[in-house]
Structures are given as structure tokens and as C-alpha cells.
Amino acid sequence: MGNSKLGNPFKEPLNLYLIVIGFLVAIIAYYDKILGVLGIVVLLGLLFYNWFSDRAKSRKWRKYIENLSTNIDSAARYAVFNLPVPLVVTDLDGKVNWYNSKFTDMVSEKSVIGKGIDKLVSTLQFDQIKNGELLEAVKVGDRFYNVFANMVSLDDENPQEMIFMLYWFDTTDLTSLTSKYEDERPVFALIYVDNYEDVMNETKEEKIPFVTSEIEKKINLWATRMNGMIKRYQKDKYIVIFEAKYLENIEAKRFTILDDIREIDAGNKIPVTLSIGIGINGKNPSGLEEDAYACLELALGRGGDQAVVRKKNAFEFYGGKTKAVEKRNRVKARVVAHGFKAIIEESSKVIIMGHKSPDMDSFGAAVGVYRAVLNMGKKAYIVLNEVTDAIVNVYATFKDHDIYHFISSEAALELVDEDTVLVVVDTHKPSLTECSELIEVCDRVVLIDHHRRSTEFIEKAILKYLEPYASSTAELITEILQYMENKPKIEKEEADALLAGITVDTKNFSLKTGVRTFDAAAYLRRQGADTIRVRQLFQDDLETFTEKANIVGNAMRYKETIAISTTNKAAKSIQLIAAQAADDLLNIRGITASFVIAKKDDGTVFISGRSLGDVNVQIILETLGGGGHLEVAGAQFKDGDIEVIKQRLIQSIDQYYREGVEK
């Protein structure tokens, strides 16, 4: 140990005593020299004794420390060699330098020196250890281990002289118990035959028992295969509870129960469809039920015929690839109209807001709501931050009228008071609205939309009218106008805007067009809407027409029935051009879906997707963060590369078809 600077616990503090004795001897010598000399002799003896004793005790302390260090080193070596868990020492590259017997027992190899630890244990990621991460549930053979790493420096002057000591703690029992717990967790499923009334109304009376029997038989068989408990609590609603270990298999098969039910042919004229909500993450049965209801509501809001599973951080969607069958009724429209009227009557002012980059449907719906508010003698304002190329023509017919107030987001926020009502049209996603802050500051929010519901939703709305079966939001507003008053006043320009909104979303009444759509159009025609004026609202300039033709000409076929085109031209109205080009591509013989990829001036890359109904472009673009409808959808990417996004789109299309084949 050498000259240790450690304090000596055996050393007594004698210096103070000797100083006191020396002082007393000096006083005695002053009065009696003989006694003084005798005192000095005694003092010198004490000093010699103290020096000799201190040296002896220092030697004893040094020997004690040296023996203690030797004992600790021996104990440490014994503890390392006889550690009851596997231990291995590696260099910075993961090569084994030393190991104990428990480690060789674990890997079942006798010669491991110099071998890479990740070669001996293939499930171990050594890079994660170097990053200081704790590795859990590392599988070795049929056992599981948590691996703790300790980095040790061999030379303080050379930081590269490092080793890793890896301790392996067996967690097989805990892992097995955790797996058993996860497998046996209850899953709560709510099943709803979402077109039960329509099916039964269109089925002959003598065939109804056969149809209901087939529905129950297939749902019961599906539940029985999972050893689940099933209970029908209404004629068209079921509860199924089963263990979580069956869910993975159900998801892998893409919820085949949806297809099995749709294939029922027992005299029914309309295919039967199901909506399923799955709750799995609730902390208790009440939480599971709440999750299942939220998923079921989401499935119904997206058009039905699909299953929704709520995972920890996201929703998973299955099915929904078929065209939704219209199942709206006028009773609901009348109820919504009366509720909407009551809300407006209690308000001081109404602020109307659509989505960013407004299109004809968003603008037309906003104008329709504006007219409803004016008819009731209330003040109304439309939030409009940007006049896009899609609405520039229709906006020109309103901007100079004194009765129409178009305001910015900032002005809208200043107008809000406790009696203000906010009406959001043509979108249900807060992030897509003209001003999402308005939703937060307004206590009363009304939502009217026709898009399939997504996970992002305006939950605080006191009145929600979400109808994915409608052709457009303009159609919904037209119906509401009819039921709010017996003979509502509608200006011809307003009727034109509403009809234009219906026209653009139905692609001239060719897509998503039902009886109610024609009824709404006929009503608007009676109110003064003119098809020639509406057609003029969609006129393009020569540059737009030329660029649209170039996009169509550059299109490529993919999987024979899909057209994909890209353009790098940053035209002023590129978003409108891309959407129109995607529509035109559907006119090509054999093409059932089209996608156009382009870039805005701000660098945002976007995709416009269109379909004739055989391909669900919404599902394809949802995997890329977009959304929309079965026939019309889109997606946007900040500062993306067009070619990279094109490849991502192709991968999403492949996944769509692959999942369709695996169903």
C-alpha cells in the first residue's frame, strides 16, 4: 500500500496534552530550576514514547489495510467466479474475454473465448448494449433473460481500454406469466347489424326467419371458435367476450366474419353488413365497454361494414372496402334540422367554418348554412382565409354583396362570445379546419359532414350530423334548409353554390348519387339554381387545361386498372389541376382508380386519389396519413420527394391488394 494518507483510527490526539505539559514545566522551571530540569526530562521521555508508539501503531494500521485489501480482492474474485447468474466479459466489439460456468451452461457451448456475443446468442443486439439500453426478455433456447450491462474502464489514461460485464437474470417465469396474462385478458366486442331494418324491409315475410337465423348462426359460430361468450341484447346487436389470444388470429384473417355475413343469401335482396367495435385496453370491464363503443361508433361513422380495434396508441381498421349502401332516412334529417334551429335561436351570432383550401362543396355548404342563419334573423360570418382556384369563380358572385361577411381567423376569434355558435362543415378533423382555435374557444359547436369518420374528431360538438352515405355536405345542408322552415328563402346564387357543391362531389352525378341526391338537386333547381351558371363555375383557363392534359398524358398503368401520374410543375392552381386530372383519368377504358402526385409552391407534396368504386382509395391513402371517401381521397406530405412518395403509394396499393387476397 506504501505511505497511505488514510487516517489512522488507532492514533490518539496527544499533541495538545504535551503542549500543556510543556507549558506547565516552563512555569515550574521559572520558580524552581531543579524541578524544571526534572520536568524537562520527563517531557522528553513522553515525546520519545509518543513518537515510538505512533510509529508502531502506523505499522499496525498499514498492515491492517493491506490485509483488508487482500481479503476484499479474494472475496471479489470468489464472488465473481461463483456468481449464481451467468456472467460474461466482452470487449468493445462484443468479443468474449471471460465468462463463468453459468454462462456456458446457458449457451450450451464449452469454447466461447474470442467469439462474438451476438453469435453465441443470436437474439442479443450488442449495439443496444453499447447504447446503454437494458435488454429485456432475450430468448436463449427455451429460457428468457434480462441483460444488465456494466461498462468498466481498465486504464484511466486510455478511455478505449474498456470492457463490458453482462449479467444475465433469468426471467422465464415472469415472462411466461406476463404472456399468460396478455393471452387471457378479456376482449369486449360489440357487433351491430348496421342495415338490419333495410334488409328486413326488403325481404319477403316468409324469408325473414331464414335471414335472421343465418345471421345468428354465423355470429354464434364466429364466437364459438374463440371459446367466447355471446349475448344478443337487441334484435340487431350482440356482445361477444373472448380472450385476447384469439384476437391476433382474427386480425390476421382480416375479420372474415364481415365477408361471411355479407355472403348470406337466404331470400334477402340487400347484402347484410356488420360493424364491429373491439375494446382491449380498458383497465376494467367498464373501460373495455367504453373502448368498444367508441370503436363501434367510429366504424358506423365510416360507413359500416367494417371492424375497428383500439390499440394503445392508434386504431386499426378492417373491412370497409365495399361501397356503402345508402341507409339514411328523412326522419333523422328532420330531427337534426329542428335541433339546429333551436341552437341558432339561442345564439347571438353564428360563425361558419369549412376546411383549409376550400373546395366547392365546403364553400357551398357554408353559404347554405349562412342562408339558414339569415332566415332566422341572426348574424352570420364565414371564416375564409384563402380563396382557392376551386372556388374563385363562385366566390366572385358573393364577395361584393353587403349581406355576406367573409372574415379571417383572427377576426373570427375576436367575435366569439359566450352565445356564439360555431358551425363546422365538410370536415370533422380539427387540424383541417380554417381555424382550429375557434373550436377550443367556442362553447357550442355544430358539426355537419359527409366524410367517413377518422380517429381525429371534433368530440365537443353538441350536434353532430355525420352521414358518410350522403353525396356531399351541400346535399345535407339542402335537406336541413327544407326542414327548418316551410318555405325557406334561398337566393339563386346560393342555390347555384349548393348545386355546385353537389355536382363536384358526385362528379356530375355519376358517383355516390342516390335518390336523396336528385331530390336535393331538384329542390335547388326549383329555388332558381341554373345548370348553365353552375357549369360556368367550373370553367378553366387555357394554362390549366393544358397542364391537366399533360398530367393525363404522362400517366402510367399499374396492375392494369390503376393509373398513376406525377408532375413537377408548380402551377398556380396545381391542387385543382391534379384533382381534375385524376377525375379525367377515370375516363380511360379499363381504369378503375387513379392517383396524381404533385407539389405545391410551399414544397408540400400531395396525392389526389379517385375511384369508380371497385378500389377504395380512402384505405390506400389512409396508410399514408391521408383520408377521404371510397371514391375520393387525398394525402399530403411536408417537403417530400415526388418519386419517393410515388414508391410509397405503390407499396400501399400492393398492401391493399395483398390484404384483399388474404381475407
Side-chain angles (χ1 to χ4, degrees):
M1 293 284 294
N3 252 344
S4 175
K5 294 183 180 180
L6 292 173
N8 188 341
F10 299 104
K11 185 175 181 180
E12 298 177 3
L14 298 178
N15 294 334
L16 179 62
Y17 303 142
L18 293 175
I19 292 173
V20 172
I21 294 172
F23 180 73
L24 294 175
V25 168
I27 294 175
I28 293 173
Y30 179 78
Y31 291 102
D32 191 330
K33 293 183 179 179
I34 296 175
L35 289 177
V37 171
L38 182 61
I40 291 172
V41 172
V42 173
L43 178 61
L44 290 175
L46 289 174
L47 288 173
F48 176 77
Y49 173 79
N50 181 58
W51 173 79
F52 180 79
S53 176
D54 187 57
R55 284 182 57 110
K57 289 178 179 179
S58 294
R59 285 194 299 269
K60 184 178 180 182
W61 170 245
R62 189 180 301 113
K63 185 175 181 181
Y64 169 79
I65 293 297
E66 290 175 351
N67 290 338
L68 180 61
S69 299
T70 302
N71 292 337
I72 290 176
D73 290 341
S74 300
R77 284 194 297 270
Y78 179 85
V80 169
F81 281 108
N82 295 277
L83 199 66
V85 299
L87 171 64
V88 62
V89 178
T90 73
D91 59 18
L92 288 176
D93 296 324
K95 297 288 178 38
V96 176
N97 291 339
W98 183 88
Y99 58 91
N100 65 1
S101 59
K102 295 288 185 181
F103 180 77
T104 54
D105 293 340
M106 182 184 75
V107 298
S108 300
E109 290 193 31
K110 301 303 180 186
S111 178
V112 298
I113 294 295
K115 293 184 179 179
I117 187 65
D118 50 358
K119 301 297 182 184
L120 295 169
V121 183
S122 59
T123 54
L124 181 73
Q125 300 294 327
F126 191 72
D127 288 339
Q128 293 179 313
I129 291 177
K130 294 175 71 174
N131 293 333
E133 299 179 27
L134 167 65
L135 300 186
E136 297 182 329
V138 177
K139 189 174 183 181
V140 183
D142 58 352
R143 311 292 293 178
F144 292 89
Y145 297 86
N146 284 354
V147 182
F148 294 85
N150 185 23
M151 183 181 289
V152 180
S153 175
L154 300 179
D155 188 348
D156 293 338
E157 296 180 357
N158 186 4
Q160 296 300 319
E161 291 292 326
M162 306 286 293
I163 60 172
F164 285 100
M165 301 183 69
L166 308 183
Y167 303 87
W168 304 68
F169 295 91
D170 194 327
T171 59
T172 304
D173 293 340
L174 177 61
T175 302
S176 298
L177 185 60
T178 302
S179 178
K180 182 179 177 64
Y181 167 76
E182 292 293 334
D183 287 344
E184 295 181 355
R185 277 196 306 161
V187 175
F188 197 94
L190 288 175
I191 301 177
Y192 176 38
V193 183
D194 47 30
N195 62 346
Y196 184 88
E197 294 295 339
D198 294 332
V199 170
M200 297 308 160
N201 290 338
E202 296 296 326
T203 303
K204 292 183 179 180
E205 187 174 351
E206 64 270 18
K207 297 291 185 181
I208 290 178
F210 297 101
V211 177
T212 55
S213 175
E214 279 295 306
I215 294 173
E216 287 215 24
K217 176 183 175 183
K218 289 184 179 293
I219 295 177
N220 275 283
L221 181 61
W222 182 71
T224 302
R225 288 172 179 166
M226 301 179 295
N227 294 324
M229 183 279 289
I230 182 169
K231 179 71 175 178
R232 186 178 74 166
Y233 63 97
Q234 289 185 20
K235 60 184 177 181
D236 55 353
K237 296 179 177 65
Y238 300 81
I239 296 174
V240 178
I241 301 176
F242 57 93
E243 293 180 336
K245 62 184 177 183
Y246 296 103
L247 183 59
E248 183 178 353
N249 184 49
I250 296 171
E251 291 181 296
K253 293 181 178 180
R254 315 294 302 174
F255 281 83
T256 55
I257 182 64
L258 299 173
D259 302 308
D260 294 340
I261 290 292
R262 204 182 306 113
E263 292 169 359
I264 291 177
D265 185 10
N268 50 300
K269 296 180 181 179
I270 301 176
V272 184
T273 60
L274 293 183
S275 291
I276 304 175
I278 303 289
I280 188 174
N281 292 314
K283 296 181 179 180
N284 49 49
S286 177
L288 290 173
E289 182 186 24
E290 184 178 337
D291 281 355
Y293 268 115
C295 291
L296 180 62
E297 184 179 6
L298 186 55
L300 292 171
R302 291 167 56 85
D305 189 29
Q306 56 193 285
V308 180
V309 182
R310 186 168 190 172
K311 298 297 180 66
K312 290 184 177 179
N313 299 315
F315 290 87
E316 296 289 341
F317 302 97
Y318 301 90
K321 295 188 177 183
T322 59
K323 192 171 183 178
V325 179
E326 183 178 359
K327 57 183 182 183
R328 292 186 297 141
N329 59 75
R330 296 185 185 274
V331 175
K332 183 175 182 179
R334 186 180 295 108
V335 171
V336 170
H338 290 169
F340 186 42
K341 182 178 180 179
I343 292 173
I344 294 177
E345 287 176 341
E346 297 173 356
S347 67
S348 61
K349 65 178 74 71
V350 177
I351 298 176
I352 307 157
M353 177 172 63
H355 55 72
K356 297 175 182 176
S357 301
D359 57 12
M360 201 70 78
D361 186 33
S362 176
F363 187 86
V367 168
V369 174
Y370 195 98
R371 169 47 57 189
V373 176
L374 290 185
N375 287 346
M376 297 186 63
K378 300 291 185 176
K379 293 182 180 179
Y381 304 87
I382 296 177
V383 180
L384 187 65
N385 296 315
E386 176 189 10
V387 179
T388 62
D389 295 306
I391 65 168
V392 63
N393 293 333
V394 69
Y395 174 73
T397 64
F398 292 93
K399 66 177 182 178
D400 296 327
H401 286 239
D402 294 336
I403 62 173
Y404 299 108
H405 301 110
F406 298 96
I407 60 175
S408 65
S409 297
E410 293 76 12
L413 289 169
E414 293 178 0
L415 287 172
V416 174
D417 59 32
E418 61 181 7
D419 294 323
T420 299
V421 172
L422 173 66
V423 182
V424 180
V425 296
D426 204 36
T427 183
H428 57 263
K429 295 182 178 182
S431 62
L432 295 184
T433 59
E434 289 276 18
C435 180
S436 58
E437 292 84 357
L438 271 175
I439 301 172
E440 300 299 326
V441 299
C442 287
D443 294 330
R444 292 186 294 172
V445 179
V446 175
L447 172 63
I448 305 174
D449 187 23
H450 74 117
H451 294 98
R452 286 191 174 194
R453 178 171 172 171
S454 65
T455 54
E456 184 186 0
F457 191 74
I458 302 174
E459 298 289 351
K460 68 179 294 185
I462 59 174
L463 178 63
K464 305 172 187 175
Y465 192 27
L466 188 69
E467 286 290 349
Y469 312 101
S471 68
S472 57
T473 308
E475 177 188 332
L476 297 175
I477 298 300
T478 301
E479 288 189 338
I480 290 175
L481 278 168
Q482 297 178 64
Y483 291 122
M484 287 183 71
E485 297 181 84
N486 290 330
K487 293 182 179 180
K489 176 185 176 182
I490 301 179
E491 300 293 340
K492 62 180 182 179
E493 293 86 358
E494 297 163 346
D496 285 344
L498 285 165
L499 184 57
I502 297 174
T503 303
V504 74
D505 270 23
T506 59
K507 304 297 177 287
N508 291 312
F509 295 89
S510 61
L511 297 176
K512 289 199 71 178
T513 306
V515 174
R516 304 276 289 280
T517 309
F518 287 112
D519 287 345
Y523 172 77
L524 294 172
R525 185 70 182 88
R526 292 194 299 271
Q527 298 301 314
D530 185 271
T531 54
I532 300 300
R533 290 198 304 267
V534 170
R535 182 179 179 86
Q536 291 173 344
L537 296 176
F538 296 105
Q539 285 184 328
D540 298 322
D541 55 31
L542 181 59
E543 180 186 358
T544 299
F545 192 87
T546 303
E547 179 59 24
K548 184 167 56 176
N550 291 334
I551 294 174
V552 174
N554 293 331
M556 58 165 276
R557 279 181 180 266
Y558 187 69
K559 291 187 180 293
E560 299 300 325
T561 61
I562 296 178
I564 302 175
S565 184
T566 62
T567 178
N568 289 300
K569 187 172 182 179
K572 176 184 176 183
S573 54
I574 189 61
Q575 196 162 8
L576 176 62
I577 294 172
Q580 293 179 348
D583 290 331
D584 290 345
L585 286 170
L586 294 179
N587 295 326
I588 300 174
R589 185 181 296 111
I591 296 298
T592 59
S594 62
F595 298 91
V596 175
I597 308 173
K599 180 178 288 190
K600 298 181 186 179
D601 292 336
D602 61 0
T604 301
V605 176
F606 65 91
I607 304 177
S608 287
R610 299 292 186 271
S611 170
L612 293 176
D614 294 333
V615 177
N616 193 326
V617 292
Q618 177 204 11
I619 290 181
I620 292 174
L621 293 182
E622 270 187 340
T623 61
L624 301 177
H629 283 293
L630 184 147
E631 299 97 347
V632 180
Q636 292 191 4
F637 311 86
K638 291 289 186 181
D639 302 319
D641 180 81
I642 289 180
E643 286 303 316
V644 172
I645 292 173
K646 179 181 177 181
Q647 294 304 314
R648 289 181 59 190
L649 172 63
I650 290 174
Q651 292 173 3
S652 182
I653 294 171
D654 291 340
Q655 178 183 344
Y656 172 83
Y657 278 96
R658 185 166 57 250
E659 291 178 351
V661 171
E662 291 172 352
K663 283 201 310 179

